[in-house]
Amino acid sequence: MPRVAQAAPDAQHAVALAFAKADGVNASGAAPDSAAALGHDGAPNIAFFYSKPTDVVVPMLQAYDAVVVAPSTGFHPDDYPLAHTTWVARVDLAHADADSANLSGAFVEQTIAPLAAQGYAGFAFDGIDALLAGAPNDEVRATRAHNVATLIDTVEQRFPNARLIQYGGASLLQQSHPHLYAYVTGSVIRTFDPARKAVVAVPDAQRAATLADARRIHDTFHVPVVSIDFCAATDRACARDTARAARIAGADAGVTPYVTDPSFDTIGVGRIEVMPRRILLVQDRDGTQPLDESPGVRDVATPLNYLGYTVDYADIGKPLPDHVTPDRYAGVVVWVDQTPIADVEAWRQWIRARIGDNVKVVFFSDFGFQMDADTGAALGLTLRDGRPRGPITIVSKDPGIGFEVMPAPDARDADGIEVGDNGTPLLRLKAGDFVYDPVAITPWGGYALSPYTIASLNTIGQERWAIQPIDFLRRALALEPMPMPDTTTENGRRFFMVHVDGDGFASRCEFPGPDFSGQALYDRLFSKYRVPTTLSVIEGEVGPAGLYPKLSPRLEEIARQMFALPNVEIGTHTYSHPFEWEDVQESGQRVKHNIDEGGGDAAFSLNIPGYTFDLDREISGSISYINKRLAPPGKKVKILQWSGNCEPPGIAVRRTYEAGALNINGGDTVITKTADSWTNIAPIGVDKGPGAYQVYAPNQDENVYTDDWQGPFYGFTRVLETFAMTDEPRRFKPIDLYFHMYSGTKIASLRALEQIYEGVLKQSVFPIYTSEYARKVLDWRDYAVARDGDHGWLVRGNGELRELRFPTATTPDLAHSQNVAGYTAAPDGTYIHVAGSSASFDIAQQADAASATQPYVKSASAYLRKFSRGAHSLSFEAGGYYQPNLDLANAQACRVTLDGKAVARRAGTQDVHLDLPAAAGQDIHYHQVEVNCGS
């Protein structure tokens, strides 16, 4: 399966593409992968989107096999390559010189060829009916029809692999049909009346005529027929209902519907409906608070990520986006801590506009405006006058209230808001006859007002959720169950990665034997545990122009030794290890207030003599140093590991991708038995602008567990608590063994690391490299999930991410699936194993004999590629880095071979277990697995 960059014209995705091509991991030529989206009738899914596709829209459009766009918007497909989707240029022939016999040659050279040069691999010819209708007589009409058909012939000859779509012009089909990818007919259920500027119902007679023509075209010319119907842009229910009605009405005629808005500015609904996976999170940050430390990132993003949604951030104090529509966003979440807001009326109107557009809105802490009667009525809320008097008692309480702590009701928090008959109070309080609802689900979303959000436990310096945020957000945003891409797991096994920051590489060991920490780690860990490992150094600590020029020869020797290990990939920990990244402005210059305060450069980074901060020196410069002086032949730096507070501005993240490297670190996941709160679980990452997605480390390093390296130095063993608490009952994170080079200086810290390694490797894990995890995160952000019919699903990505988590216990219908290798039951749902960059499947509604007996991959700590499923068989290649193995279900009575040799059964087991030879290093050797269950 090809692994290509997708969904953004930036270095971020180019890096993922470059590494994918270089590594070849997961690469597969599986034929079913390219056909996974096609319906049972083989008809393609085609979208029509005439506005300029944005970075929000493109990832969703990849669910379609082809997308017709308007080149006049300036959209260039070369900037947005997609693995499965063809960009088709809409070409309007309404005013073409169709009376000229030279139409084909001139038009192809002047119009079609330039579009092909921009990356368009298909052409949709519109305006044909208008062109023919404008002919003065039958002879001219016939000439025009012939010339247009000849044009289509010529385009096909000049660009033989192009996908050609014809709008109308049924009289041309006798000549043009052999070249067509699809034919576009009229509306079936709802059409747009330009005279009335309104969407109207298609008259019965017109519908019957359209379907009759479609049936003739489908049956005679065997060309897929697409109808285009219309609904208001923000009326998703209309689009869904219209698509279903058109699908039913056009079933016998072979019509595939597509429903959009009259401006073609909506991700429409056809046979498939792409589900929005983005949430807009709006908060009232002050000008000094870094995005990483805001409540939206620190607290709300994690439950949203767990639910499968990626987060875009906006600040109330800045211009807010207008194009927040239900086809693009699953909802808006608001966190307001500071009131009043500067332009409260603009904020009020923006919120009401989103609700008017049928976008669900959820408020945390505060609304951001004083609830008046008018706004309350618009939101279906009742306002009570006065204040509560006397003790406050609980009238009713949802089980999700008091999740980690239950704040005591306080009259000062009583806003006097009560939900109407259409709402559901999750917490209702009263004092006498004063009744109010501080937490509720409403028709437009919901709210949880302070203090029933996150409560501060000041005596111990911790926080707790007062509401179960996952269930609350799911209910308030009306999020329906669907398979969501998952970054924690592949083939049912939890990821395990190791990455080490370079801090302390020049520190001497405090025990006999090795001289420096890096040598101790090499001797006792890196050369012993041959799991995939990412190691980094700080150039300013190791290099000859850094802090320790006399030690540099020995330190570089150790670094070369480490980087030469076959199971080690190389990272950089920057040049001078900046501590306070917020001092770096979006211009790339450093704010020097630390120096002005007398702190000197040491307050900002390592105080390297003669060095003045330079962003490129930190990133591309340190990468170049490592590649030239420390990396063995054939290896290069793959990832930058953020230093200090790990809060880089967008420009630093962007420069990292531009330098050809991925990135990781930040986030601070530190949940333990004594800090048992979901507020201590960080999100997957944070978007800091176009091409600047920062990937957070799945877990925090040993510094946190050892009281900032003050001791106890064996304290890192408590990370095993974190690994367990982020696994069950909900798997929030993969296992990330993340530490610093200074852990090699002490016996206690070394023994702690050995204990962690041993503890993790006793578990059923899937070892991967940190760069692979980072690439999976980028794929997760843009992954497309689409409903296909009533029970079916279609998913597409760039091939890095291979696991879906369905939130309920369910079973995919394997007998009617494409590229689904298997599934695994889990405490928080079902993991579904995707065997390519695209897959389609139904959710089994009842026991199906054919599906129930299908052999499948139950779990595997190996990558799968070239997967195919027969009626009673499986065939695929499998390989992994460290002790790879897999378990097959429903294969007890089957013949199973590994590289042509029969696999012996293990006595007393229900599954068939296969141990695979491990890769020697980073290059995986794949092994052929065949499962034949035929009679």
Side-chain angles (χ1 to χ4, degrees):
M1 166 206 63
R3 300 171 64 182
V4 303
Q6 63 170 20
D10 54 49
Q12 174 174 297
H13 297 270
V15 167
L17 170 61
F19 281 135
K21 289 182 176 178
D23 292 350
V25 178
N26 287 352
S28 167
D33 200 19
S34 61
L38 298 182
H40 301 303
D41 58 359
N45 289 306
I46 304 174
F48 301 82
F49 192 89
Y50 296 168
S51 295
K52 187 175 183 178
T54 64
D55 291 351
V56 172
V57 169
V58 171
M60 301 178 71
L61 290 176
Q62 72 173 324
Y64 286 91
D65 303 303
V67 180
V68 180
V69 298
S72 59
T73 63
F75 178 77
H76 284 202
D78 280 346
D79 293 333
Y80 294 86
L82 297 174
H84 306 280
T85 305
T86 299
W87 294 109
V88 178
R90 176 177 176 263
V91 179
D92 191 353
L93 298 178
H95 304 291
D97 185 11
D99 298 333
S100 171
N102 294 325
L103 170 66
S104 298
F107 199 89
V108 168
E109 293 307 318
Q110 295 174 11
T111 302
I112 303 299
L115 294 174
Q118 295 173 14
Y120 287 100
F123 307 97
F125 299 101
D126 198 356
I128 297 175
D129 285 337
L131 184 70
L132 300 181
N137 53 55
D138 291 345
E139 182 179 356
V140 174
R141 185 177 300 109
T143 298
R144 290 183 177 182
H146 171 75
N147 289 344
V148 171
T150 302
L151 168 63
I152 294 174
D153 290 344
T154 304
V155 173
E156 195 277 335
Q157 293 169 13
R158 176 73 184 278
F159 305 101
N161 296 319
R163 290 180 169 174
L164 306 183
I165 298 173
Q166 180 177 317
Y167 291 66
S171 61
L172 282 64
L173 286 170
Q174 191 65 44
Q175 182 178 346
S176 64
H177 81 270
H179 314 309
L180 295 184
Y181 181 63
Y183 177 89
V184 179
T185 189
S187 303
V188 174
I189 304 297
R190 290 183 173 88
T191 189
F192 178 68
D193 184 343
R196 296 163 56 185
K197 296 183 179 180
V199 174
V200 299
V202 173
D204 292 344
Q206 182 179 329
R207 178 184 304 112
T210 298
L211 293 176
D213 284 345
R215 184 178 297 108
R216 177 181 61 82
I217 293 167
H218 182 269
D219 294 345
T220 303
F221 301 112
H222 308 291
V223 174
V225 179
V226 180
S227 67
I228 301 180
D229 284 71
F230 300 95
C231 285
T234 60
D235 194 342
R236 206 66 178 161
C238 173
R240 192 175 296 122
D241 293 343
T242 301
R244 184 181 295 111
R247 190 165 63 244
I248 294 171
D252 292 339
V255 173
T256 300
Y258 184 79
V259 183
T260 184
D261 71 292
S263 298
F264 289 85
D265 186 32
T266 300
I267 301 170
V269 179
R271 188 180 66 229
I272 65 172
E273 178 184 358
V274 188
M275 313 306 290
R277 287 189 52 241
R278 300 181 95 92
I279 299 290
L280 181 66
L281 204 155
V282 185
Q283 49 191 348
D284 61 338
R285 286 194 302 146
D286 61 41
T288 62
Q289 184 185 51
L291 177 62
D292 304 73
E293 299 175 16
S294 64
V297 175
R298 191 182 67 241
D299 298 315
V300 187
T302 294
L304 289 172
N305 286 173
Y306 177 82
L307 288 165
Y309 294 86
T310 184
V311 180
D312 294 341
Y313 296 94
D315 294 335
I316 293 176
K318 298 179 181 179
L320 293 170
D322 291 325
H323 214 145
V324 182
T325 49
D327 61 320
R328 292 159 167 79
Y329 285 90
V332 172
V333 176
V334 178
W335 190 292
V336 176
D337 278 332
Q338 303 174 27
T339 53
I341 291 171
D343 192 345
V344 69
E345 189 55 34
W347 168 240
R348 189 195 311 267
Q349 293 304 317
W350 188 88
I351 285 293
R352 293 183 63 170
R354 302 291 73 75
I355 294 173
D357 286 343
N358 299 310
V359 177
K360 296 288 186 180
V361 178
V362 175
F363 295 92
F364 280 102
S365 188
D366 197 282
F367 291 103
F369 47 77
Q370 188 69 34
M371 189 67 67
D372 56 28
D374 181 57
T375 304
L379 300 181
L381 304 176
T382 300
L383 305 182
R384 287 187 173 272
D385 295 328
R387 305 292 299 174
R389 297 183 181 276
I392 298 175
T393 60
I394 296 175
V395 178
S396 61
K397 181 173 79 71
D398 184 86
I401 305 298
F403 173 57
E404 293 177 345
V405 68
M406 184 62 193
D410 190 323
R412 291 171 294 181
D413 299 317
D415 286 355
I417 296 172
E418 188 177 356
V419 296
D421 294 338
N422 293 327
T424 303
L426 301 186
L427 178 63
R428 173 159 285 180
L429 304 175
K430 74 170 184 175
D433 60 356
F434 189 94
V435 179
Y436 63 103
D437 302 324
V439 186
I441 303 296
T442 67
W444 44 263
Y447 62 87
L449 303 180
S450 180
Y452 303 100
T453 53
I454 289 178
S456 296
L457 308 182
N458 295 326
T459 56
I460 59 174
Q462 295 185 20
E463 294 180 330
R464 295 287 189 273
W465 274 105
I467 187 172
Q468 211 278 34
I470 291 176
D471 290 344
F472 173 65
L473 286 165
R474 182 189 288 122
R475 293 173 64 182
L477 294 172
L479 304 176
E480 61 182 286
M482 65 181 72
M484 286 300 194
D486 189 278
T487 62
T488 70
T489 303
E490 188 159 325
N491 299 325
R493 303 283 182 88
R494 191 182 186 190
F495 287 135
F496 168 46
M497 68 195 80
V498 179
H499 81 282
V500 185
D501 287 351
D503 308 54
F505 195 77
S507 298
R508 292 193 178 271
C509 295
E510 300 175 8
F511 54 90
D515 49 357
F516 291 99
S517 59
Q519 187 65 55
L521 291 169
Y522 177 91
D523 294 341
R524 295 187 59 157
L525 299 180
F526 304 150
S527 61
K528 176 182 178 182
Y529 300 100
R530 293 301 182 98
V531 296
T533 302
T534 305
L535 303 180
S536 67
V537 295
I538 304 167
E539 181 189 348
E541 195 175 43
V542 175
L547 289 173
Y548 312 109
K550 293 182 179 179
L551 299 179
S552 178
R554 172 59 181 148
L555 297 175
E556 289 189 330
E557 179 186 18
I558 298 171
R560 292 188 190 102
Q561 177 183 233
M562 292 192 317
F563 291 155
L565 286 170
N567 62 304
V568 167
E569 73 173 7
I570 305 175
T572 177
H573 202 42
T574 73
Y575 175 74
S576 71
H577 193 282
F579 304 122
E580 307 293 337
W581 279 98
E582 65 268 27
D583 286 356
V584 180
Q585 299 173 304
E586 275 298 326
S587 64
Q589 301 298 312
R590 176 195 161 197
V591 178
K592 297 185 178 181
H593 59 78
N594 282 330
I595 293 178
D596 296 338
E597 294 166 5
D601 280 347
F604 173 75
S605 66
L606 298 178
N607 196 4
I608 300 172
Y611 174 63
T612 300
F613 174 80
D614 180 270
L615 186 57
D616 289 330
R617 185 69 185 85
E618 296 291 336
I619 298 172
S620 58
S622 66
I623 292 172
S624 178
Y625 159 77
I626 294 172
N627 287 342
K628 291 178 180 179
R629 290 184 64 94
L630 305 181
K635 280 189 179 182
K636 291 185 176 181
V637 170
K638 288 192 173 183
I639 196 164
L640 182 142
Q641 298 159 223
W642 297 110
S643 61
N645 64 4
C646 301
E647 297 178 0
I651 189 173
V653 182
R654 200 156 39 248
R655 292 277 180 88
T656 301
Y657 287 114
E658 291 169 355
L662 296 153
N663 77 98
I664 198 165
N665 281 351
D668 296 348
T669 293
V670 292
I671 186 172
T672 61
K673 292 179 180 179
T674 54
D676 184 7
S677 172
W678 286 358
T679 62
N680 293 319
I681 303 175
I684 292 173
V686 57
D687 194 337
K688 294 186 173 178
Y693 189 85
Q694 179 182 348
V695 179
Y696 279 162
N699 189 75
Q700 191 53 275
D701 54 62
E702 83 281 45
N703 195 52
V704 174
Y705 297 82
T706 59
D707 191 20
D708 293 334
W709 202 238
Q710 300 300 307
F713 298 108
Y714 57 81
F716 196 30
T717 56
R718 294 198 64 190
V719 76
L720 293 171
E721 296 177 21
T722 305
F723 295 160
M725 296 173 74
T726 53
D727 185 27
E728 292 187 0
R730 289 176 173 83
R731 184 172 291 177
F732 284 99
K733 296 289 180 182
I735 294 175
D736 179 21
L737 180 46
Y738 166 34
F739 56 99
H740 295 90
M741 290 293 178
Y742 50 67
S743 273
T745 61
K746 300 178 185 296
I747 287 291
S749 54
L750 280 168
R751 288 177 176 169
L753 285 168
E754 290 171 335
Q755 184 177 338
I756 298 166
Y757 271 100
E758 296 293 338
V760 170
L761 291 175
K762 289 177 182 177
Q763 303 175 37
S764 184
V765 293
F766 188 158
I768 64 170
Y769 286 96
T770 309
S771 67
E772 292 177 306
Y773 172 74
R775 298 204 304 265
K776 291 175 188 298
V777 168
L778 296 182
D779 197 7
W780 170 84
R781 286 186 66 234
D782 294 337
Y783 207 84
V785 177
R787 183 193 289 112
D788 189 350
D790 293 331
H791 308 297
W793 295 96
L794 162 70
V795 296
R796 279 184 172 174
N798 67 17
E800 300 290 350
L801 188 141
R802 300 291 192 97
E803 194 80 341
L804 306 170
R805 177 173 44 80
F806 204 89
T808 60
T810 190
T811 302
D813 185 351
L814 298 176
H816 302 95
S817 68
Q818 291 279 5
N819 274 3
V820 175
Y823 60 94
T824 302
D828 53 349
T830 303
Y831 287 107
I832 300 173
H833 319 327
V834 177
S837 60
S838 179
S840 62
F841 55 91
D842 289 348
I843 295 298
Q845 299 302 299
Q846 58 186 4
D848 180 272
S851 190
T853 59
Q854 283 278 324
Y856 65 90
V857 177
K858 185 176 182 180
S859 66
S861 59
Y863 290 115
L864 308 181
R865 68 177 189 179
K866 298 183 180 178
F867 180 90
S868 64
R869 179 185 298 280
H872 304 286
S873 64
L874 292 181
S875 176
F876 58 90
E877 292 182 351
Y881 301 113
Y882 179 84
Q883 299 181 358
N885 62 83
L886 58 90
D887 292 312
L888 299 168
N890 288 349
Q892 301 90 334
C894 308
R895 173 178 167 78
V896 180
T897 62
L898 177 62
D899 292 333
K901 297 180 180 179
V903 176
R905 307 293 192 276
R906 284 184 177 177
T909 62
Q910 294 296 314
D911 302 323
V912 177
H913 181 85
L914 285 77
D915 289 313
L916 306 172
Q922 296 179 57
D923 295 325
I924 294 178
H925 179 66
Y926 284 88
H927 303 272
Q928 186 67 40
V929 178
E930 299 285 346
V931 183
N932 193 329
C933 309
S935 56

